[in-house]
Structures are given as structure tokens and as C-alpha cells.
Amino acid sequence: MTNPLLSTWDTPFGIAPFNLISDDDFAPALDTALASHMGEIDAITSTVDAPSFSNTVEALEAAGAQLECVLGPFFAMAGADSNPQREALQRDFSPKLAAHFSEISANSALFSRVAAVWDARDSLDLTDEQQRVLMLTHRGFVRSGAALTGADEQRMKEIKARLAVLGTQFTQNLLADERDWYLELGEGDMAGLPDFAVAAARAAGQEKGLDGPIVTLSRSVIVPFLQFSTRRDLREQAYKAWVARGANGGDTDNRAIAAETLSLREERAQLLGYSNFAQYKLETEMAKTPDAVRKLLSDVWEPAKAQANADAWVLGQMMRDDGVNGDLEPWDWRFYAERRRKALHDLDEAEVKPYFQLDRMIEASFDCASKLFGLSFKPLDVPLYHDDCRAWEVTRDGEHVAVFIGDYFARGSKRSGAWCSAMRAQAKYPQAQTPVVINVCNFAKGDPALLSYDDARTLFHEFGHALHQMLSDVTYESVSGTSVARDFVELPSQLYEHWLEVPEVLAEFATHAKTGQPMPRTLLEKVLGAATYDMGFSTVEYVASAMVDLEFHDGSAPADPMARQAEILTQMGMPHAIAMRHATPQFAHVFSGDGYSSGYYSYMWSEVMDADAFASFEEAGGAFDAERAKALEEHILSKGGSRDAAELYVAFRGRLPGVEALLKGRGLAA
């Protein structure tokens, strides 16, 4: 029987035929695709023709198409709809893929051809994009260890293989802890919970096959519980389980994995001639150096900590007024912050949430993209990997642009968080292909599904990433869409969040789930007025995580990461009642792979730009200014990584920004 992963996909727009794919298809398809890819590499190195951009760099760009057809569907399903077989496949695939790509990056014959083209670059008639692709290709080989020989070359292969195994295990351990823990709630355990939080708890129980409501470790379930439950004992129990993910002992404990990962990264960097991993990693980012990152974080940390400490004093006084003695604890903060928000802004989450229906927020994100970039979205009826998924065809002026898939609901088979990925990226070489882009979120189910304001921001954030993929207009896939510097990749996503705050957007799409009426203007003003409320808390929990990530990698790898984490937080003066947004054992951004390692700061680096970029719209004709939208697409969204990130931003804005706009946007400016 033909393996559907290896067949030509006769489907609308070449979407993977998920209805035909079984888990048994992945392993044989991967073996075939790996062999095919290696055959393509061998063909490049065995050609007798002198190395050229066409027969070497473009040939590398064209290689591996079959492998992408296997891995695109697999990783989408493994991340968003896992099961024991897929988890086992992932554990098997990780070292196999690491070894495969290590063999390619260490192929001396291949590297010599790339180096020959690089050395001759000034005599070649290359376009700007081709020059960029050549530079990135050559640099990628060097940074992967292509110039290493002998024992160093072998050790690099071993390190990469081991890191791949550790990253997969870290992710699966975290998923297991999140999936297995829940707190059953009796009728007396739901005191203080508004209807939407009760509905989310009941839906979570149904997803587990239980008769009653539960609290799970999904952010969309546990955060409302911590905000509203008057049962301090249950808040403490749930919070401690939440922050203990990956640190519960036994087979799913991630602490030893984190320690080994940091040690191997340091060794990897030193093999390549760098003093530590942060020096290696940041060399290719906009920030360039650990000191530049540390300065940004420090500039934001002090005003954020001052605000958080002032807020903690007020919340602690509120707690004591309730007759609760002792210190304000992390499981108290959200509860008293929510009560204080209601008092300060006359704003109640239970009153606001019915206006943020998931379907209406999806419509809002589409409508903004239509006004800004002329895009249209038409529902697609195609088989996808889970019944929760939805798909749309994206067009402009009647021409097909992309396929967009949304997978919005939390479930036990999905890892936590939210993300965007491209199952197929835009490219024009070796043939034209349009992107297939997916947004994955973890919102609580309901009828209708209701979002918090923070959830709605997440939806807009991920859709900003999707626009970066969908509006990409480059020749080569290696620089397509979000293939940019890590501290630039969050600019389009964080910038798009600003359109949720535009009053006319909320006036049209924030409609009540029961009455259908738009949000009253007085309530709308309260929502926007409270947009920076509790920003000291959210900034402190984020910056603490970013600083721990940086310090872990800028210096010798700590033998005991948990002790080092505690030391860093003490030196920073971390407020007692606030924890890191991601403590080490659950810090998937940093330990599930190299993506955000030494780079968790990038959200804030990009925020410096997104605050400044949206200000340019406001300084022009407003949020939907046509010229600014055109410039955003022309200089940033369409360009991918085809030019240096700083050059792209300057082309859009005319200059690089300072931190002032960020502090003002967060309400932390002096």
C-alpha cells in the first residue's frame, strides 16, 4: 500500500492528507525521506562541475522537499495532538534527525564547495537575496562545526545527538506533568468562581472523562481559578502543582536534563572557539552580545520591580484587611490583583469576558488584516489532524495567498502555550509554493468559547506570526517568513497585538455572547484604561525568566541550575510574591530546543520595536493608515530574513528605537 506521506498530495492547495495518514506511516516515510535527502546531498558533492551558486547553494535549497512533507505533519501532530505512539516516534526521530543533519553539516566535500562559492562571491553576479542566502549558508556550516576535524568533529556530532534527545525528553516530561495532574472540585470548592470559570472547569472535567469540574494546569483554566477562588487553601494547592511541573521527582523530572543541557551547550560553544554559549548564540542576533541584552533587561527591571513592590504592599494590606496574617504569597497575587482592578477601574473580568468570544476575536484578527493588507478569508472544508481544527483559504484580489489553520482549544494531548508554525513555507525556488500556516493555542472550551483579554492578545499575537509567514515574498525558503533573527521574529506578532487595543476594533467585534450587543462605551474605556494594570507583576515575572536564561548561558554552566536560579533571583531582588514566568524545570522555550536559549529576552527586544512601530501608525493617519501598512508589508512582512533585521527596521521606520516607548507602553515610565 502506498505511503500517503510519500505520495503526491492531490488535495486542495497541497494540504497534507491527514485523513489518510496513520501513525504507522511516519517511521518508514522518515527512513525513505532521509535516504532521499542524503542522495540529493551526494549528488551535489559528486558533480564534476566547479562550485557555483546554482549547483551548490541553490541545490541545497531544493534538497529535502520530501523530508519536509514528512516532518511538517508529524511535528504538527506531535505537538498539538500527541499520543503514546507519537511520543515514542518523537524520541526515536530526535537523535536520528540530529545525526542526519550533523552528517550534512560535517560533510567536508559539501563545505568545501560552499566555501569556494563564498570565496568567489565578489565576482559572482548575485542578487541581494542570493548574497544573503550565500552568507547565511556559509555561516550556518561554520557555526555547525563544518571546519572541525578528528575528535572535535566526532564530539560535536555526539553533543548534537544528545541535545536532541534531551530536548524531546524535556518536552514530553512537561506534557506528562501537565496532563496527569488535576484537582477535582466539589460544589463547596467553587466559591468565588464566575460562571465562565465554572464552565471551563466543567469542560476540562469532560475532556478527562470525569463527571464534575476540575482545575488543570492549562493556563486558561488555572489562571481564572487563581484570580477568583476564595479558597486560599485550594489556590495554594493548585499554584504549587503549577510551578512544580518538571520538578516532581521520578521519571518526569527535568532538573537533571536542564543541567546536562547547559553543560553540553557550553562544550559545544567552546569547540567552536567561543567562551560560552551566550557569546555563540547572540553573535547572529540583533543584540550581538550578552552585555547588550543585560543592559536592556536591567533598564526595564528597576522600574518594573519598583512598581511591583509598591503593588505588593497594597495587595498585602488588602489581604490583612481580610483577616489573613502572614506574607502575601504567589497564590494570593492574582486574587487580590483582580479584586484591586475591580476597585480601581470598576472592571470585573466576569463582566468583560462575555464580550470576548473566540469566534468574534478570530473575525477581528481577520478584519484587521483585510483593512491593512487587503486579505480575505474563506472557510475551507478539508480533513485536518483534529476535529477542533479549522482552516481558511487566504486570498488577495481573488488570488490565492495561503492556507491558514487554527487549533484553538486546550486538551490533554496538546503541549501548553501558543505557537505558530508553517507546515509549508512560501518560496519561488525551485518552484513557486504558497504557505500553509497554523496557529495553536490553549483556550478553554465553552459554548460559546470565551476569552480573557490576555487570551485575545495571544490570539492576535500568534496571528501576527501567521501574517509574517503568509505575506512572505522571497525566492528562497531558507529566508522565508519567520526565518529571521530570534530577537526580530517577535516584532510582527507583538506589533499585531496593538490592533486589539484600537477602540473601533473592539466596538465592532467585542459583542456580548448572549445579547449580541456591542461592549458599552463606558466598559470599553475601562478595558483600555486598565490595559497596563498590574504591569509591574507581568514585567517582573518575564524579565526574571529572561535574566536567568541569559546568566545560565553567559559563563560556566551551573552544576545545579536550581541553586543558580535562586542565586540570580536573589541578586536581582526578586519580589517574594512573584515567581518567574517559566521556572527552569518547565522552561520549554529554553530547554526543549536551542530556539530561545540565551534568547528569551527577544520578546522584550522586539517590544522596543513594536511600541515604536505602532507609534508610527498613530503619528500618521491612525491604526489603519494605508501608507504605513504598505511600508510594514514592503519592508518587514514580505522580506523574511532576506536582509539584515536592523536594516529592515530602519527601512520601515527611518531609525532604530530606544527603550522609552516600551516603558511608556507598559505604564512604567517615570
Side-chain angles (χ1 to χ4, degrees), residues 546-592:
M547 191 66 86
V548 167
D549 167 43
L550 177 68
E551 299 299 348
F552 271 174
H553 295 96
D554 187 28
S556 299
D560 184 347
M562 299 305 293
R564 179 63 178 135
Q565 172 186 294
E567 181 183 30
I568 295 165
L569 296 178
T570 298
Q571 291 170 349
M572 294 174 68
M574 185 74 172
H576 170 76
I578 305 179
M580 293 168 63
R581 185 172 179 85
H582 305 287
T584 297
Q586 65 245 200
F587 210 162
H589 281 81
V590 171
F591 291 106
S592 65

Side-chain angles (χ1 to χ4, degrees), residues 33-46 100:
L34 290 175
S36 173
H37 189 209
M38 198 55 74
E40 292 168 322
I41 299 301
D42 290 342
I44 296 171
T45 58
S46 62
H100 175 78

Side-chain angles (χ1 to χ4, degrees), residues 602-622:
S602 59
Y603 289 94
M604 188 149 283
W605 190 276
S606 293
E607 190 177 341
V608 170
M609 290 182 285
D610 82 62
D612 180 66
F614 191 71
S616 78
F617 279 84
E618 295 176 316
E619 293 162 6

Side-chain angles (χ1 to χ4, degrees), residues 393-407:
E393 181 193 4
V394 186
T395 60
R396 179 155 57 183
D397 299 327
E399 295 292 321
H400 177 76
V401 173
V403 169
F404 174 67
I405 299 169
D407 180 2

Side-chain angles (χ1 to χ4, degrees), residues 226-227 229 231-233 235-236 239 315-316 319 324-339 537 576-577:
L226 294 171
Q227 284 177 306
S229 174
R231 289 284 303 275
R232 190 176 190 236
D233 59 329
R235 295 202 312 266
E236 179 180 0
Y239 180 85
L315 300 183
M319 186 178 76
V324 180
N325 295 318
D327 294 333
L328 182 77
E329 299 291 348
W331 50 89
D332 297 315
W333 190 292
R334 288 175 174 84
F335 178 77
Y336 285 101
E338 179 61 30
R339 186 182 289 183
F537 170 87
H576 170 76

Side-chain angles (χ1 to χ4, degrees), residues 52-63 68 117 125-137 424-433 468-469 472-484 637-643:
S52 68
F53 185 84
S54 176
N55 68 23
T56 302
V57 179
E58 282 190 328
L60 276 171
E61 288 284 327
E68 289 183 10
V117 180
D125 186 21
L126 301 179
T127 67
D128 289 346
E129 184 178 334
Q130 287 174 330
Q131 291 175 6
R132 176 78 174 168
V133 169
L134 173 58
M135 183 278 290
L136 292 172
T137 301
R424 182 178 66 226
Q426 178 272 332
K428 299 174 185 175
Y429 182 89
Q431 64 274 324
Q433 62 185 39
H468 203 181
Q469 296 278 14
S472 177
D473 185 21
V474 299
T475 300
Y476 301 102
E477 186 173 334
S478 65
V479 291
S480 176
T482 57
S483 297
V484 299
L637 298 178
S638 69
K639 290 294 189 290
S642 61
R643 288 178 62 191

